[in-house]
Amino acid sequence: MQQRILRRTSFGGSSGSLRRSSISSKDIQAIQMALMKQHVPTEQVVCLLIALPIFSFFYLFLIYQHQGSFSSAISALLSRQFLITLLPPLFDVVAWKFILVFFSLQLIFHWVLPQDTVVLIKSGGNTRKSVNSFSSCLLLCLLYVMGSGLGMYRHDLVFIHFSSIIMCLAIVCIATFTFMLISYRYGDYYNVTTISEFCFGVELHPIILDIDVKHFVRSRITFVLWPLFIISAVYYQRNMYGKITRGLLGCSIVQMVYIIKYHWTEYLALNSLDYRCANCGFYKLWSDMVLFPILYCSPIAIIAQTQRSISIITSGFLSIAAVVLIVMTTIIDHQKYEFRRSKGDIKIHGVDPFFITAKYKNDNGDTAANLLLGSGYWSISRHPNYICEAVTFAVFSAFQGPATLACHLPAIFIAVFLFVRLMNDETRCLAKYGQSWIQHCNKVPFRILPGIY
C-alpha cells in the first residue's frame, strides 16, 4: 500500500522529472511576483467600485430599453438628464412587492423545506453543510406559474418589471453590506480599514440570521431569479406576438438545464475555489445580486423582445452543444471532487491518478496539505472546466443569431471574467504552494487549451 501511494505521487522516477522538481532562481522570482500581485492597487479598486454600478445600469438600459442598440442608447442618454434616464424606476410598487414576496419565500423555504447534506472538502478536515436550493427553486417556479395561472398577477410580471426589480436588488445589496459594515464596526473579529477590504471583503462566509450570506445570494437570488425571468419571458413573447420563436424556446431550455445542473450539483459549487477562497465584500454582493442577473438574462431578453429566430437545424445543433458542454463541465468538476474527497485513493479512467502533495501554511500558521490532481481531464489543462463554462455561455448567446456586439457582450464578459479568475487562481496557488505548484505546472503545462495556452 505504501508503494502504491509513492507511485501515484511521484513524477515517474525519471531523471528529467527530478530536474523539473528542483526550484530555480526564476521560480523564486515567480513566487515573489505572485505574492506582490495578491495586493491590488488602491487606484484599481476605486475604479472598479465606480465602474461596477455604472456598467451594470448602463447595460441594463442598453438591453432592456434599446434592445442592444448602442447608438440608440447613447442618443437617449444625451438627450435627457443622464442619471434619470439611466437608472430604473425606484418606486415601482409591483417590483417591491415581488422582492418582498421573493425574499420572504426564500427565507421560509430555507428554514422549512427538507435539507440535503453535502460535504465541504477541507485540508483540515471535511465539514458538512445543509442545502435545499434545488427544491426551493423548483417550488418557487411552480408557485410563480400557478399564481399567474390563477390570475393573481400577469404571467410576464418579472420580464416587464425586471429593470425595477434589479434596482430594488441594488438597494437590498447596499443595505445588506451596510448592515455587515455596522456589525464589523461593533463586533470583535472583523473590521474594514481599507478600500480594498471594502471592495473584496474581510470575511469568507458572513452570517446573518444563521444564513451564509454569500451562498444564499448566489444560490437563492441569482440562480432563482434567472429561471423566473426565463418563464416570464416566454409568456411575454407569447402574449405580445402570439407565438414563441425557436431561438427563445431553445435558449430557454438549455439555460434551464444549466440552472437545474447548478442546483442539483450544488456540492460542486460549494467546493469550488471561488466559494472556498473569495471573501464576501461589496464586489461579490453586487455581482451576484445585480450584475450577473442582468448578464445571464440578457440573451433571453433580446430574443423575447426582437423575435429573433434561427433555423430548426441551428437551434437543434446549439441545444445539443450546450447540453454536451454542461454535462462535460459537471463531469470535469465531479472528477476533481471525488478525487479530493477520497484523498487520492481512487481510480481515474481505470488507473491510479497522478497528484502532487502540496504543503502550505494555513491561517493559524500550521502546516497543511492539498492534493494537486494531474490525471484524467485535469491532465489536459489546469483549468479545463473554465473553457467549457465560457463556451457554454457563448452558445447561449448564439441563440440570438446575427446581433450587435452589445447583445453578445455577456458571453464576452463571462469569458474575460473566467480568464481573470483563472489568472487569480494561478497567482493564489503559486503564492500558496510555491515549488509544489511549479512542479504541477511542469506536469500540466497548459492553463486552458492543450498545445495553445
Side-chain angles (χ1 to χ4, degrees):
M1 182 65 182
Q2 185 68 23
Q3 291 179 348
R4 183 185 176 198
I5 295 175
L6 290 173
R7 186 173 66 251
R8 290 206 312 270
T9 59
S10 69
F11 280 107
S14 68
S15 59
S17 298
L18 291 174
R19 283 196 301 270
R20 288 198 304 271
S21 66
S22 62
I23 190 166
S24 64
S25 59
K26 184 178 180 181
D27 296 333
I28 295 174
Q29 185 179 9
I31 296 173
Q32 292 173 342
M33 290 295 294
L35 290 170
M36 293 175 61
K37 287 181 179 179
Q38 287 188 307
H39 302 285
V40 182
T42 302
E43 295 79 6
Q44 294 183 16
V45 177
V46 172
C47 291
L48 177 62
L49 287 172
I50 295 173
L52 193 61
I54 294 176
F55 172 77
S56 300
F57 286 121
F58 175 75
Y59 194 72
L60 180 69
F61 178 75
L62 176 67
I63 294 298
Y64 295 91
Q65 300 297 324
H66 297 275
Q67 293 76 52
S69 174
F70 188 81
S71 58
S72 175
I74 294 297
S75 298
L77 289 174
L78 294 177
S79 62
R80 289 172 284 178
Q81 293 184 8
F82 184 85
L83 284 178
I84 296 177
T85 306
L86 183 64
L87 295 179
L90 176 60
F91 301 103
D92 186 332
V93 177
V94 175
W96 279 109
K97 286 181 179 178
F98 172 82
I99 290 295
L100 179 61
V101 174
F102 180 74
F103 273 84
S104 299
L105 288 176
Q106 287 287 27
L107 289 172
I108 292 171
F109 292 164
H110 173 77
W111 288 318
V112 173
L113 290 180
Q115 296 182 331
D116 296 323
T117 301
V118 299
V119 177
L120 304 184
I121 303 171
K122 299 179 181 179
S123 58
N126 297 345
T127 59
R128 296 183 179 274
K129 185 178 182 66
S130 298
V131 298
N132 60 4
S133 70
F134 177 80
S135 55
S136 176
C137 178
L138 180 62
L139 188 55
L140 252 174
C141 290
L142 290 175
L143 287 175
Y144 179 81
V145 174
M146 290 175 59
S148 62
L150 293 173
M152 298 174 65
Y153 43 81
R154 293 184 54 157
H155 299 79
D156 51 6
L157 179 146
V158 175
F159 186 90
I160 293 175
H161 296 273
F162 187 71
S163 294
S164 295
I165 290 172
I166 291 296
M167 188 64 181
C168 296
L169 286 174
I171 300 300
V172 173
C173 171
I174 295 172
T176 302
F177 191 64
T178 301
F179 178 84
M180 289 168 56
L181 291 177
I182 294 173
S183 66
Y184 294 154
R185 176 65 179 83
Y186 296 100
D188 298 326
Y189 299 103
Y190 300 99
N191 193 19
V192 176
T193 58
T194 66
I195 192 69
S196 181
E197 291 176 345
F198 176 90
C199 182
F200 300 112
V202 294
E203 190 176 5
L204 190 60
H205 301 295
I207 304 296
I208 299 177
L209 298 177
D210 199 30
I211 294 174
D212 182 344
V213 174
K214 186 169 72 172
H215 177 227
F216 185 89
V217 169
R218 182 69 175 172
S219 64
R220 295 178 179 273
I221 297 178
T222 310
F223 274 85
V224 177
L225 182 61
W226 189 3
L228 291 177
F229 181 86
I230 293 172
I231 295 170
S232 183
V234 172
Y235 277 122
Y236 171 84
Q237 191 176 73
R238 189 199 64 177
N239 295 340
M240 183 64 66
Y241 303 107
K243 65 176 183 178
I244 302 172
T245 61
R246 284 188 292 268
L248 180 60
L249 184 62
C251 191
S252 299
I253 291 173
V254 296
Q255 286 195 359
M256 280 295 194
V257 171
Y258 182 89
I259 294 165
I260 291 171
K261 183 272 300 184
Y262 173 86
H263 288 293
W264 188 259
T265 61
E266 194 172 4
Y267 65 94
L268 296 178
L270 291 172
N271 281 279
S272 65
L273 198 61
D274 180 64
Y275 179 79
R276 291 186 289 113
C277 299
N279 287 338
C280 184
F282 180 81
Y283 168 78
K284 181 67 176 175
L285 284 178
W286 184 275
S287 296
D288 284 342
M289 294 183 75
V290 180
L291 179 59
F292 284 135
I294 296 171
L295 295 176
Y296 291 163
C297 296
S298 65
I300 292 289
I302 290 293
I303 301 172
Q305 292 179 92
T306 61
Q307 281 193 289
R308 286 177 183 161
S309 189
I310 53 180
S311 68
I312 189 170
I313 296 176
T314 304
S315 180
F317 173 78
L318 291 176
S319 299
I320 293 172
V323 172
V324 169
L325 286 165
I326 292 169
V327 172
M328 279 301 303
T329 306
T330 306
I331 292 173
I332 291 170
D333 288 335
H334 182 74
Q335 186 178 79
K336 175 175 269 191
Y337 171 81
E338 288 297 332
F339 166 80
R340 294 183 66 236
R341 192 175 70 163
S342 66
K343 301 186 185 303
D345 190 15
I346 190 176
K347 296 283 187 180
I348 293 182
H349 298 164
V351 298
D352 291 335
F354 173 92
F355 62 87
I356 295 174
T357 303
K359 295 182 179 180
Y360 66 97
K361 295 288 186 180
N362 59 24
D363 294 336
N364 298 324
D366 300 325
T367 300
N370 280 332
L371 305 183
L372 306 178
L373 177 61
S375 292
Y377 298 107
W378 298 88
S379 66
I380 300 173
S381 66
R382 298 198 292 274
H383 307 275
N385 52 342
Y386 283 5
I387 186 64
C388 290
E389 189 83 355
V391 178
T392 299
F393 278 88
V395 174
F396 291 166
S397 187
F399 277 97
Q400 299 174 89
T404 63
L405 182 63
C407 295
H408 295 292
L409 187 60
I412 299 171
F413 182 91
I414 294 297
V416 173
F417 175 81
L418 289 173
F419 180 78
V420 172
R421 177 185 286 182
L422 177 151
M423 298 307 295
N424 289 337
D425 291 348
E426 292 273 319
T427 301
R428 185 188 295 118
C429 289
L430 180 58
K432 182 177 182 178
Y433 300 125
Q435 182 182 2
S436 296
W437 182 253
I438 294 172
Q439 293 174 345
H440 178 66
C441 293
N442 288 330
K443 174 64 179 178
V444 187
F446 299 104
R447 291 184 175 95
I448 306 177
L449 295 173
I452 299 176
Y453 181 75

